[in-house]
Amino acid sequence: MWVKMKINVKFVGLLTALTGCQSIIVGIGNNGKPEIFTLFKVLGEKFGKKFLDKIVDFGDEKPRPRILILKNEVEIHVLDGLNTKLDDGDTIVLIPYSHRG
C-alpha cells in the first residue's frame, strides 16, 4: 500500500543559506517505510546538487563527516544511519559543524 508521509526537515547554519529556508515539510512515500537516504534524494531534487554534496557522499552512500543528522533528536549513527526508516511526522534536523584543532 502506497502511503505519503509528511516529514519535517530543519536546516541549521549554512544549510539555511543553501536552501533559503529554516524548515520544510516534505511529502514522501513508497510501498513501505522510506529511509533517510530516500528523503535526501527528494531534497536534492528540490535544492540541487550543491545542497546534496554538503549532506551525503554518494560514492559510499554515507553522510558527510561534518554533518550531524538527527531523527527526532537522536543522531542517526546510533540508529541505522542513512538506512534509518522514517515515520509520518518525524523531524529530521541537519546541522553542519566545523571545529578547529
Side-chain angles (χ1 to χ4, degrees), residues 46-96:
K46 179 160 182 65
F47 297 118
K49 183 173 178 3
K50 187 174 181 180
F51 167 80
L52 264 185
D53 286 344
K54 295 286 184 194
I55 306 297
V56 177
D57 179 344
F58 280 91
D60 61 10
E61 296 187 349
K62 292 186 178 178
R64 293 284 182 192
R66 290 198 164 99
I67 188 86
L68 181 64
I69 304 167
L70 306 175
K71 176 190 174 192
N72 301 329
E73 300 182 8
V74 177
E75 208 278 325
I76 66 166
H77 284 102
V78 299
L79 301 171
D80 200 14
L82 293 178
N83 296 319
T84 300
K85 302 289 185 189
L86 294 168
D87 294 299
D88 190 37
D90 279 348
T91 297
I92 303 298
V93 181
L94 305 174
I95 305 169

Side-chain angles (χ1 to χ4, degrees), residues 6-23:
K6 291 183 180 175
I7 307 299
N8 304 302
V9 182
K10 296 182 180 183
F11 307 104
V12 177
L14 96 102
L15 296 178
T16 302
L18 280 175
T19 61
C21 60
Q22 292 181 345
S23 65

